Amino acid sequence: MVIPFNKYHGTGNDFIIIDNRACIFNLSEPAVIKKICDRRLGIGADGLIVIGQSVYGDFRVTYYNSDGHLTSLRVEQELRHLPLPQYYPVILSANCR
């Protein structure tokens, strides 16, 4: 399976961002996320950010650590320096959990 992604870095960390608003990919399994974030066998990153559907806003941002576990994301600190002009204004106003 081919999964389109973007990879960004900021504040000393790097992230893989996958737009899954169409709910095409099942990215909720920790083993899958761990493989994607593996620096030797996967893409390699400190975490995975999945953009998905939301009933409360334009989209929902879900953040996983590189070990595959769901965690919180401080959007203002982690993403403010990333070149995300198409996402940035919406991320700050979206329902981020």
Side-chain angles (χ1 to χ4, degrees), residues 35-50:
K35 285 181 184 179
I36 291 171
C37 292
D38 187 283
R39 294 194 185 275
R40 288 176 285 145
L41 303 174
I43 299 165
D46 294 312
L48 172 67
I49 298 171
V50 178

Side-chain angles (χ1 to χ4, degrees), residues 36-94:
I36 291 171
C37 292
D38 187 283
R39 294 194 185 275
R40 288 176 285 145
L41 303 174
I43 299 165
D46 294 312
L48 172 67
I49 298 171
V50 178
I51 300 170
Q53 293 181 343
S54 173
V55 295
Y56 301 106
D58 294 330
F59 57 85
R60 181 177 179 171
V61 176
T62 306
Y63 177 64
Y64 298 92
N65 278 328
S66 61
D67 64 2
H69 291 94
L70 186 66
T71 189
S72 63
L73 173 67
R74 293 177 162 257
V75 174
E76 296 85 6
Q77 291 180 4
E78 299 294 343
L79 297 179
R80 69 178 168 194
H81 299 295
L82 299 182
L84 299 172
Q86 72 272 27
Y87 295 136
Y88 185 70
V90 184
I91 287 176
L92 293 180
S93 64

